[in-house]
Protein backbone atom coordinates (compact mmCIF):
# COMPACT_ATOMS: atom_id res chain seq x y z
CA UNK A 1 0.00 0.00 0.00
CA UNK A 2 1.32 3.46 -0.91
CA UNK A 3 1.78 5.97 1.89
CA UNK A 4 1.24 9.69 1.86
CA UNK A 5 2.32 12.04 4.63
CA UNK A 6 -0.37 14.44 5.83
CA UNK A 7 1.14 17.52 7.48
CA UNK A 8 -1.36 17.66 10.32
CA UNK A 9 -1.29 17.23 14.07
CA UNK A 10 -5.09 17.32 14.30
CA UNK A 11 -6.39 13.87 15.30
CA UNK A 12 -9.86 14.47 13.83
CA UNK A 13 -8.49 15.43 10.42
CA UNK A 14 -5.95 12.59 10.47
CA UNK A 15 -8.69 10.02 11.07
CA UNK A 16 -10.83 11.39 8.24
CA UNK A 17 -7.91 11.24 5.77
CA UNK A 18 -7.10 7.73 6.93
CA UNK A 19 -10.68 6.59 6.28
CA UNK A 20 -11.14 8.42 2.98
CA UNK A 21 -7.78 7.33 1.51
CA UNK A 22 -8.36 3.58 2.02
CA UNK A 23 -10.65 3.78 -1.02
CA UNK A 24 -7.58 4.73 -3.09
CA UNK A 25 -5.47 2.05 -1.41
CA UNK A 26 -3.35 4.74 0.19
CA UNK A 27 -2.25 4.84 3.80
CA UNK A 28 -2.53 8.34 5.25
CA UNK A 29 0.31 8.92 7.71
CA UNK A 30 -0.07 12.02 9.87
CA UNK A 31 2.62 13.84 11.85
CA UNK A 32 1.09 12.22 14.94
CA UNK A 33 2.10 8.80 13.54
CA UNK A 34 5.75 9.72 12.97
CA UNK A 35 8.32 9.10 15.72
CA UNK A 36 10.51 12.08 14.99
CA UNK A 37 9.65 15.31 16.69
CA UNK A 38 8.44 17.44 13.84
CA UNK A 39 8.19 21.12 14.79
CA UNK A 40 4.89 22.99 14.47
CA UNK A 41 4.69 25.01 11.28
CA UNK A 42 3.75 28.61 12.02
CA UNK A 43 0.55 29.48 10.18
CA UNK A 44 1.45 33.06 9.35
CA UNK A 45 -0.49 33.30 6.07
CA UNK A 46 -3.57 35.44 5.57
CA UNK A 47 -5.54 32.85 3.56
CA UNK A 48 -6.31 29.12 3.81
CA UNK A 49 -4.23 28.64 0.66
CA UNK A 50 -1.15 30.38 2.07
CA UNK A 51 -1.33 28.39 5.30
CA UNK A 52 -1.86 25.09 3.48
CA UNK A 53 1.19 25.88 1.31
CA UNK A 54 3.32 26.74 4.37
CA UNK A 55 2.48 23.43 6.06
CA UNK A 56 2.89 21.23 2.97
CA UNK A 57 6.08 22.87 1.68
CA UNK A 58 7.87 23.11 5.02
CA UNK A 59 7.23 19.47 5.95
CA UNK A 60 8.01 18.29 2.42
CA UNK A 61 11.36 20.11 2.55
CA UNK A 62 12.10 18.60 5.95
CA UNK A 63 11.20 15.01 5.03
CA UNK A 64 12.26 15.25 1.36
CA UNK A 65 9.08 13.53 0.23
CA UNK A 66 5.65 14.52 -1.16
CA UNK A 67 3.40 15.96 1.55
CA UNK A 68 -0.25 16.91 1.63
CA UNK A 69 -1.54 19.60 3.99
CA UNK A 70 -5.07 20.68 4.89
CA UNK A 71 -5.90 24.17 6.03
CA UNK A 72 -9.53 24.46 6.90
CA UNK A 73 -12.04 26.38 8.96
CA UNK A 74 -15.54 27.66 9.47
CA UNK A 75 -16.69 30.81 7.66
CA UNK A 76 -19.77 32.44 9.22
CA UNK A 77 -21.52 35.13 7.16
CA UNK A 78 -22.98 37.02 10.15
CA UNK A 79 -19.45 37.30 11.60
CA UNK A 80 -17.96 38.67 8.37
CA UNK A 81 -16.25 35.36 7.67
CA UNK A 82 -14.88 34.71 11.16
CA UNK A 83 -13.49 32.46 12.61
CA UNK A 84 -12.11 31.60 9.13
CA UNK A 85 -8.38 30.94 9.13
CA UNK A 86 -8.39 31.46 12.93
CA UNK A 87 -10.87 28.61 13.53
CA UNK A 88 -8.48 26.33 15.44
CA UNK A 89 -7.58 28.92 18.08
CA UNK A 90 -10.57 31.26 17.94
CA UNK A 91 -10.98 31.35 21.75
CA UNK A 92 -7.19 31.59 22.27
CA UNK A 93 -4.29 29.29 23.14
CA UNK A 94 -4.14 26.41 23.79
CA UNK A 95 -6.51 25.18 21.09
CA UNK A 96 -9.88 24.27 22.68
CA UNK A 97 -12.80 23.09 20.52
CA UNK A 98 -15.38 23.53 23.29
CA UNK A 99 -14.31 27.11 24.06
CA UNK A 100 -14.34 27.92 20.33
CA UNK A 101 -17.91 26.64 20.01
CA UNK A 102 -19.00 28.68 23.04
CA UNK A 103 -17.42 31.83 21.64
CA UNK A 104 -19.20 31.43 18.29
CA UNK A 105 -22.55 30.75 19.98
CA UNK A 106 -22.15 33.83 22.19
CA UNK A 107 -21.32 36.00 19.17
CA UNK A 108 -24.38 34.69 17.32
CA UNK A 109 -26.74 35.00 20.28
CA UNK A 110 -28.83 37.80 18.76
CA UNK A 111 -28.60 36.53 15.17
CA UNK A 112 -31.92 35.13 13.85
CA UNK A 113 -32.34 31.79 12.08
CA UNK A 114 -32.26 33.18 8.54
CA UNK A 115 -28.89 34.91 9.04
CA UNK A 116 -26.96 31.96 10.50
CA UNK A 117 -25.54 30.68 7.22
CA UNK A 118 -21.97 29.37 7.21
CA UNK A 119 -19.64 27.06 5.34
CA UNK A 120 -16.70 24.86 6.09
CA UNK A 121 -13.75 25.45 3.76
CA UNK A 122 -10.87 23.07 3.15
CA UNK A 123 -7.83 23.93 1.05
CA UNK A 124 -5.50 21.04 0.30
CA UNK A 125 -1.92 21.68 -0.77
CA UNK A 126 0.28 18.97 -2.27
CA UNK A 127 3.99 19.79 -2.13
CA UNK A 128 6.28 17.57 -4.18
CA UNK A 129 10.06 18.17 -4.06
CA UNK A 130 11.12 20.04 -7.21
CA UNK A 131 7.56 20.61 -8.43
CA UNK A 132 5.01 23.38 -8.20
CA UNK A 133 2.61 23.03 -5.28
CA UNK A 134 -0.89 21.89 -6.23
CA UNK A 135 -4.06 23.28 -4.58
CA UNK A 136 -7.66 22.10 -4.36
CA UNK A 137 -10.57 23.68 -2.44
CA UNK A 138 -13.71 22.04 -1.06
CA UNK A 139 -16.77 23.55 0.64
CA UNK A 140 -19.66 22.36 2.76
CA UNK A 141 -22.60 24.76 3.13
CA UNK A 142 -24.82 24.89 6.18
CA UNK A 143 -25.98 26.90 9.16
CA UNK A 144 -25.10 27.38 12.81
CA UNK A 145 -27.32 25.77 15.42
CA UNK A 146 -28.12 27.44 18.79
CA UNK A 147 -27.02 24.48 20.95
CA UNK A 148 -24.25 21.89 20.46
CA UNK A 149 -25.55 18.40 19.60
CA UNK A 150 -23.77 15.12 18.85
CA UNK A 151 -20.54 13.40 19.77
CA UNK A 152 -18.87 12.59 16.44
CA UNK A 153 -16.36 14.62 14.47
CA UNK A 154 -14.39 17.49 15.98
CA UNK A 155 -14.15 21.27 16.11
CA UNK A 156 -17.41 23.02 15.30
CA UNK A 157 -19.22 19.87 14.12
CA UNK A 158 -21.70 19.92 17.07
CA UNK A 159 -23.11 23.33 15.99
CA UNK A 160 -22.96 22.97 12.19
CA UNK A 161 -26.03 21.68 10.35
CA UNK A 162 -25.21 20.87 6.73
CA UNK A 163 -27.61 22.07 4.02
CA UNK A 164 -30.55 19.64 3.48
CA UNK A 165 -29.94 17.98 6.88
CA UNK A 166 -31.60 18.48 10.24
CA UNK A 167 -28.84 16.82 12.23
CA UNK A 168 -25.55 18.49 13.14
CA UNK A 169 -22.32 17.28 11.57
CA UNK A 170 -21.49 15.69 14.96
CA UNK A 171 -24.75 13.69 14.83
CA UNK A 172 -23.88 12.20 11.44
CA UNK A 173 -22.07 8.86 11.32
CA UNK A 174 -18.41 9.32 10.30
CA UNK A 175 -19.11 7.88 6.84
CA UNK A 176 -22.01 10.31 6.37
CA UNK A 177 -19.76 13.26 7.20
CA UNK A 178 -17.10 11.87 4.87
CA UNK A 179 -19.65 11.82 2.02
CA UNK A 180 -20.49 15.52 2.19
CA UNK A 181 -17.67 17.30 3.98
CA UNK A 182 -15.48 20.14 2.70
CA UNK A 183 -12.52 17.75 3.10
CA UNK A 184 -14.19 15.11 0.93
CA UNK A 185 -15.12 17.76 -1.67
CA UNK A 186 -11.46 18.81 -1.87
CA UNK A 187 -10.13 15.23 -1.92
CA UNK A 188 -12.29 14.17 -4.87
CA UNK A 189 -10.59 16.87 -6.92
CA UNK A 190 -7.25 15.17 -6.23
CA UNK A 191 -8.53 11.82 -7.42
CA UNK A 192 -6.34 11.64 -10.54
CA UNK A 193 -3.22 12.31 -8.50
CA UNK A 194 -4.23 9.85 -5.77
CA UNK A 195 -4.92 7.14 -8.34
CA UNK A 196 -1.55 7.76 -9.98
CA UNK A 197 0.08 6.92 -6.63
CA UNK A 198 -1.71 3.69 -5.79
O1 LIG B 1 -16.20 21.09 13.06
C1 LIG B 1 -15.28 21.03 12.29
N1 LIG B 1 -15.26 20.05 11.36
C2 LIG B 1 -14.33 19.94 10.41
O2 LIG B 1 -14.36 19.03 9.57
C3 LIG B 1 -13.32 20.95 10.44
N2 LIG B 1 -12.27 21.18 9.66
C4 LIG B 1 -11.66 22.26 10.18
N3 LIG B 1 -12.31 22.71 11.28
C5 LIG B 1 -11.95 23.83 12.15
O3 LIG B 1 -10.89 24.53 11.59
C6 LIG B 1 -9.67 24.30 12.29
C7 LIG B 1 -8.60 23.97 11.32
O4 LIG B 1 -7.45 24.74 11.51
P1 LIG B 1 -6.13 24.23 10.82
O5 LIG B 1 -6.42 23.90 9.40
O6 LIG B 1 -5.03 25.13 11.11
O7 LIG B 1 -5.89 22.82 11.53
P2 LIG B 1 -5.34 22.48 12.99
O8 LIG B 1 -4.57 23.64 13.55
O9 LIG B 1 -6.48 21.98 13.81
O10 LIG B 1 -4.36 21.26 12.67
P3 LIG B 1 -3.12 21.27 11.61
O11 LIG B 1 -3.59 20.49 10.43
O12 LIG B 1 -2.82 22.70 11.27
O13 LIG B 1 -2.01 20.58 12.33
C8 LIG B 1 -9.95 23.09 13.17
O14 LIG B 1 -9.14 23.03 14.32
C9 LIG B 1 -11.42 23.29 13.49
O15 LIG B 1 -11.57 24.27 14.47
C10 LIG B 1 -13.34 21.92 11.44
N4 LIG B 1 -14.30 21.95 12.37
MG1 LIG C 1 -3.29 24.59 12.30
Amino acid sequence: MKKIIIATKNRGKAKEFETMFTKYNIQAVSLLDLDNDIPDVEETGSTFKENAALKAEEISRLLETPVLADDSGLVIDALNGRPGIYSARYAGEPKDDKANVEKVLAELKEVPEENRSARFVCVLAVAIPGEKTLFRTGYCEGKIQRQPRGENGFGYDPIFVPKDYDRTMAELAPQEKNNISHRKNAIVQLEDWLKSLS
Side-chain angles (χ1 to χ4, degrees):
M1 202 188 240
K2 283 271 180 185
K3 288 185 189 184
I4 172 94
I5 310 275
I6 319 283
T8 184
K9 293 188 178 180
N10 178 316
R11 231 164 260 290
K13 278 189 196 178
K15 179 81 208 142
E16 292 180 12
F17 278 106
E18 220 175 87
T19 306
M20 285 190 269
F21 278 12
T22 53
K23 174 180 160 197
Y24 303 102
N25 212 25
I26 291 170
Q27 186 186 347
V29 178
S30 81
L31 303 184
L32 300 165
D33 301 321
L34 300 179
D35 296 334
N36 30 348
D37 255 337
I38 295 182
D40 287 343
V41 176
E42 263 202 85
E43 297 179 40
T44 53
S46 55
T47 60
F48 291 116
K49 187 177 176 185
E50 282 172 18
N51 285 334
L54 283 170
K55 291 187 268 192
E57 289 168 5
E58 208 163 309
I59 303 297
S60 174
R61 217 174 297 125
L62 194 75
L63 301 178
E64 300 175 325
T65 189
V67 167
L68 186 145
D70 163 315
D71 202 63
S72 45
L74 179 63
V75 172
I76 301 176
D77 294 322
L79 301 180
N80 298 317
R82 281 183 283 121
I85 61 166
Y86 305 109
S87 292
R89 288 160 192 81
Y90 195 45
E93 294 275 3
K95 183 166 124 180
D96 180 341
D97 284 351
K98 200 159 169 276
N100 290 340
V101 162
E102 278 164 15
K103 182 170 178 183
V104 162
L105 288 181
E107 289 185 324
L108 291 178
K109 206 161 188 284
E110 310 296 331
V111 177
E113 218 47 48
E114 63 272 21
N115 294 334
R116 298 176 73 93
S117 56
R119 68 207 50 80
F120 278 123
V121 180
C122 171
V123 176
L124 298 180
V126 179
I128 301 174
E131 290 183 29
K132 232 175 117 214
T133 301
L134 192 78
F135 298 95
R136 294 290 184 267
T137 305
Y139 300 93
C140 181
E141 296 287 336
K143 59 176 195 284
I144 306 300
Q145 191 72 18
R146 292 197 173 272
Q147 291 291 330
R149 287 197 323 246
E151 302 295 327
N152 297 330
F154 66 96
Y156 301 88
D157 283 341
I159 54 166
F160 184 86
V161 176
K163 192 170 167 285
D164 302 327
Y165 282 76
D166 49 20
R167 288 170 293 159
T168 67
M169 202 72 126
E171 291 177 304
L172 302 185
Q175 63 270 30
E176 284 183 287
K177 176 179 177 183
N178 288 340
N179 272 331
I180 60 164
S181 77
H182 47 312
R183 195 155 290 113
K184 151 74 185 276
N185 291 332
I187 288 173
V188 291
Q189 299 175 55
L190 276 180
E191 237 167 31
D192 288 347
W193 180 71
L194 292 169
K195 284 178 179 158
S196 77
L197 290 175
S198 53

